Every structure is written in structure tokens, then in C-alpha cells.
């Protein structure tokens, strides 16, 4: 029987990514040893960052699958051990590189991550549902996406992606975002002792919490970072404007007049903080008739709210703020959130999924301007 060489074993394990860091486990120093016994059993010892790593089952499954594909391997025995303090410090240094600790990577001039802050004037307009489905849709098309639940009091994102009971892993002073549907997710809800506990913080603590979720979390290289903002024009909206000056704002409203009026305020506070409002999304726009089908639309919450907000903000700011999408009222959008399976994954053919996927493509296709950014180019002699 042909036994795989060490090079073949290591190459196979090089295709296994750490679920949280999204880099090969061989590159991260997580493979202590691997060998194949004469009976064809591959024995491998994998080092976890911490003993209670929530992704241990995923790692075991992926390592087993990778080694089982090698000729001559009949069985795989995975042993999980834990990194020493020195190994964790080395890993932290490897991930951070030369960057100093406690730095917001998205505030660097050379950062090319597109940042979208999803805002609303009031609660109950489906802002979190829109944000979650946008993130998952973008990730499903191969983009590296981060999702920060900045709604400190009403954090609902973890439950909507099925990770409400998971806690992030810490590597020394770094926090690993929890992966869900290939999206890196972080929420203050993950740092509480339990789901039932409440957060009762005031302005300065909210600002500090946002700073820590940006600088203490290892986000890696992201194409897009989405922030689910709390409704209204309070402390967190101001903190985002101050700490993420390059963030662009998407305002979510519903068709009804009351929601549209307060949505205009959410867009206005963004402009006051020198953020650009890139568009308006009208959620719960219309209900497909249960008898006639989508050709007959029922305006449950009225009409025109999104158009009004877009027109008002365009006139107020002096640049075009388009109505990006009108998302139909679809019960599957709600049930998907309750079940932790976003509708764009659970039912991609649903009317709401089609509109959300189109909105995700619009935002993903926009490219950050290179004006004023360092391109890291050094002139050479002629």
C-alpha cells in the first residue's frame, strides 16, 4: 500500500482553513503532527486557539475530509489540543503583522474596504433583516464580508444568522468574529454572559464599545463591512461618523408617511457627520396578492415613502440619492430571520430574495475612490 509523504499530508491540510481566521491551518501553526500508520490510519494533532473553540467540530470535519481524499488513507484520527500562551502570542503577532495593537484598520488611509452603515429613522422597518440578507448575498458571490451589529440595545443579528448562542474566540487580546454563511459576524450580544442579559450603557461607553469592536476584532482583509446601526440619530450614529469617516450610509424606510419622515432625519445626521448617503431602500413595499399573484400588488403600508425620502435627501444634499430598491412584504423574510436562515439562502427564488440579491449586487459593484489614498507605489529610476 502506498503511504502519503509528509509533503502530501501537509499539502492536503494546507487546504483546510480555520473557520474563524479563514487562513490555512498549516500557515497558522495549528498542525502539531501528522502521520499515517501502516494500517492506513492518518493520525493528526490540531492545536486550537482555546479549549472551548466553538469551531472544533468544523475543524475536525474539514481535516478528516482533506486527509481522507489522499490515496492510501483508510481512516483519519483527529486529536485536538490547545495552543500554549507562547503559541497564541506568536499567532497574534502573525495576524497583526507590524501593525500596533488597538488600531481601527478601517480608518487607515490605505484601506480599500467598502463600508456601508445601514440606518433607519425608527425601529420596526426591517433594517436588520435587510442588512443580514445583504451580507449573506454578497458573501455567496465570493466577496469577503464583515457584519458588525452596532445596534447595542436591540442586537438581533446573531439570532438572525443562527449563532445567538455562540461566543467569539479570543487569541490573547484579539477577538475572532464568529463565521456564519461565510460572513464574519460580531455583535455586543456575543459578549454578554447570556442572551437574556441587557445592555444599559450611556454615550461614552457606546463610543468605546464601537471602538473595541473595530480595533480588538481580527477582521482580516474585507471587501465590504456592513454595520447594522441602531434606529434614530443617537450616540452610535454619531460614533460611527467619527470613527468610520469613510462609511457610506444606506437609509431604510417603509412606504408609510410616518416612517419616511423620520428616515429623512437619519439621512440628515449622516450628512452632518460628512458621510455620503448612497441611497434609500423601501422595505415592506408591497404585498403580492395571495389570490392573483405578484401582478396584483397590495399596498399594505401605503405608497411613496421611499421615493419621498430619496427626493428630499437629494434636494437637501445637492447630489443624487437614488431609491435603490423596493423590497416586497414577504413572510419568508420574517420566518428566515426567526429560524436563523436568511431568505436569500433559504428561498433564493422568493420575490424578496430577488430584490435583495439585486440590491447586494448594486452595492458590491460600487468601488471606493482612490482619490487621496496611498497606493503603496514606489517610483523607480528610468
Amino acid at each position: 500500500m502506498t503511504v502519503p509523504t509528509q509533503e502530501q499530508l501537509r499539502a492536503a491540510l494546507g487546504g483546510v482553513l480555520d473557520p474563524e481566521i479563514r487562513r490555512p491551518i498549516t500557515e497558522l501553526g495549528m498542525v502539531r503532527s501528522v502521520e499515517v500508520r501502516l494500517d492506513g490510519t492518518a493520525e493528526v494533532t490540531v492545536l486550537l486557539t482555546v479549549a472551548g473553540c466553538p469551531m472544533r467540530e468544523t475543524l475536525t470535519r474539514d481535516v478528516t475530509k482533506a486527509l481522507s481524499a489522499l490515496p492510501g488513507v483508510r481512516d483519519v484520527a483527529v486529536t485536538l489540543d490547545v495552543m500554549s500562551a507562547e503559541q497564541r502570542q506568536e499567532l497574534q503577532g502573525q495576524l497583526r503583522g507590524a501593525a500596533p495593537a488597538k488600531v481601527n484598520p478601517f480608518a487607515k488611509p490605505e484601506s480599500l474596504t467598502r463600508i456601508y452603515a445601514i440606518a433607519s429613522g425608527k425601529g420596526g422597518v426591517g433594517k436588520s433583516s435587510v442588512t443580514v440578507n445583504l451580507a449573506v448575498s454578497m458573501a455567496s458571490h465570493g466577496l469577503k464580508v464583515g457584519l458588525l451589529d452596532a445596534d447595542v440595545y436591540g442586537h438581533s443579528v446573531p439570532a438572525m444568522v443562527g449563532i445567538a448562542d455562540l461566543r467569539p474566540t479570543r487569541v490573547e487580546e484579539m477577538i475572532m468574529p464568529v463565521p456564519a454563511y461565510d460572513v464574519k459576524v460580531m455583535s455586543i450580544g456575543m459578549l454578554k454572559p447570556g442572551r437574556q442579559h441587557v445592555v444599559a450603557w450611556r454615550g461614552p461607553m457606546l463610543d468605546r464599545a464601537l471602538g473595541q469592536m473595530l480595533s480588538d476584532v481580527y477582521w482580516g482583509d474585507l471587501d465590504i463591512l456592513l454595520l447594522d446601526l441602531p434606529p434614530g440619530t443617537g450616540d452610535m450614529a454619531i460614533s460611527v461618523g467619527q470613527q468610520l469617516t469613510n462609511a457610506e450610509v444606506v437609509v431604510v424606510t417603509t412606504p408609510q408617511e410616518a416612517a419616511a419622515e423620520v428616515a429623512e432625519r437619519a439621512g440628515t445626521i449622516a450628512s452632518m457627520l460628512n458621510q455620503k448617503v448612497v441611497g434609500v431602500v423601501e422595505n415592506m413595499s408591497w404585498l403580492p396578492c395571495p389570490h392573483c399573484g405578484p401582478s396584483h400588488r397590495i399596498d399594505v403600508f401605503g405608497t411613496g415613502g421611499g421615493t419621498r425620502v430619496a427626493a428630499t435627501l437629494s434636494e437637501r444634499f445637492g447630489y443624487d440619492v437614488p431609491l435603490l430598491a423596493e423590497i416586497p412584504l414577504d413572510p419568508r423574510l420574517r420566518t428566515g430571520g426567526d429560524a436563523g436562515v436568511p431568505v436569500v439562502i433559504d428561498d433564493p427564488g422568493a420575490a424578496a430574495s430577488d430584490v435583495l440579491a439585486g440590491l447586494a449586487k448594486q452595492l458590491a459593484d460600487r468601488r471606493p475612490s482612490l482619490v487621496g489614498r496611498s497606493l503603496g507605489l514606489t517610483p523607480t529610476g528610468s
Side-chain angles (χ1 to χ4, degrees):
M1 179 182 67
T2 302
V3 176
T5 64
Q6 273 291 313
E7 289 74 15
Q8 290 173 319
L9 293 169
R10 294 275 173 175
L13 292 174
V16 178
L17 302 182
D18 178 272
E20 296 170 308
I21 304 174
R22 305 304 296 171
R23 286 169 62 176
I25 60 174
T26 50
E27 179 184 314
L28 299 173
M30 297 175 64
V31 180
R32 171 182 286 170
S33 62
V34 57
E35 59 182 16
V36 179
R37 297 200 310 243
L38 293 177
D39 64 357
T41 300
E43 294 182 327
V44 57
T45 300
V46 177
L47 299 177
L48 303 175
T49 51
V50 293
C53 176
M55 298 291 115
R56 54 193 302 131
E57 292 182 3
T58 301
L59 268 174
T60 300
R61 183 187 66 242
D62 292 349
V63 167
T64 300
K65 180 179 179 181
L67 292 179
S68 297
L70 291 176
V73 174
R74 295 180 177 177
D75 195 11
V76 178
V78 180
T79 301
L80 299 178
D81 204 343
V82 182
M83 287 183 173
S84 65
E86 292 77 13
Q87 288 171 319
R88 284 194 295 271
Q89 288 175 356
E90 289 178 6
L91 177 59
Q92 177 181 261
Q94 179 183 353
L95 295 177
R96 278 194 173 141
K102 309 294 183 183
V103 170
N104 173 5
F106 307 108
K108 295 180 179 180
E110 65 270 21
S111 173
L112 294 180
T113 300
R114 174 71 76 174
I115 303 173
Y116 290 113
I118 314 301
S120 68
K122 63 191 294 293
V125 300
K127 168 182 53 62
S128 296
S129 296
V130 171
T131 309
V132 163
N133 280 278
L134 285 178
V136 173
S137 182
M138 290 173 177
S140 70
H141 288 88
L143 293 174
K144 292 177 287 186
V145 181
L147 173 53
L148 175 54
D149 185 358
D151 193 346
V152 173
Y153 301 129
H155 41 269
S156 56
V157 167
M160 298 178 83
V161 291
I163 56 173
D165 295 317
L166 296 183
R167 295 294 177 263
T169 301
R170 290 180 178 268
V171 178
E172 295 302 294
E173 298 179 358
M174 286 196 310
I175 303 172
M176 299 294 124
V178 179
Y181 303 104
D182 291 326
V183 176
K184 295 182 176 182
V185 182
M186 177 51 57
S187 169
I188 198 67
M190 299 173 178
L191 305 178
K192 299 188 304 178
R195 295 179 66 176
Q196 75 278 11
H197 291 82
V198 299
V199 177
W201 294 345
R202 301 184 70 180
M205 293 189 70
L206 294 176
D207 185 70
R208 195 176 309 122
L210 176 64
Q212 288 182 310
M213 287 193 289
L214 292 171
S215 61
D216 289 4
V217 174
Y218 176 71
W219 293 101
D221 293 325
L222 297 180
D223 295 311
I224 293 177
L225 175 66
L226 294 171
L227 290 91
D228 181 29
L229 296 185
T233 58
D235 291 317
M236 189 58 78
I238 296 172
S239 293
V240 169
Q242 293 172 337
Q243 298 193 44
L244 293 169
T245 56
N246 53 337
E248 299 174 297
V249 176
V250 176
V251 177
V252 179
T253 184
T254 59
Q256 65 189 106
E257 188 73 13
E261 182 178 349
V262 293
E264 292 167 7
R265 300 173 197 160
T268 302
I269 189 67
S271 180
M272 291 170 62
L273 295 167
N274 296 317
Q275 295 173 310
K276 183 176 182 179
V277 180
V278 297
V280 176
V281 174
E282 185 181 89
N283 194 28
M284 309 180 199
S285 186
W286 48 274
L287 176 69
C289 178
H291 304 292
C292 312
S295 59
H296 179 202
R297 300 184 176 190
I298 302 175
D299 299 320
V300 179
F301 296 108
T303 60
T307 301
R308 167 189 159 171
V309 174
T312 300
L313 295 182
S314 296
E315 181 179 359
R316 189 171 295 173
F317 302 156
Y319 62 80
D320 182 40
V321 179
L323 177 61
L324 296 172
E326 295 174 302
I327 304 171
L329 183 61
D330 192 330
R332 287 165 291 190
L333 192 59
R334 190 270 306 167
T335 56
D338 290 344
V341 185
V343 68
V344 293
I345 295 294
D346 188 47
D347 191 353
S353 296
D354 287 340
V355 178
L356 284 162
L359 175 60
K361 187 176 188 307
Q362 283 187 71
L363 296 176
D365 285 347
R366 298 181 74 250
R367 291 291 180 262
S369 172
L370 298 180
V371 176
R373 296 179 183 266
S374 172
L375 299 181
L377 301 177
T378 303
T380 60
S382 57

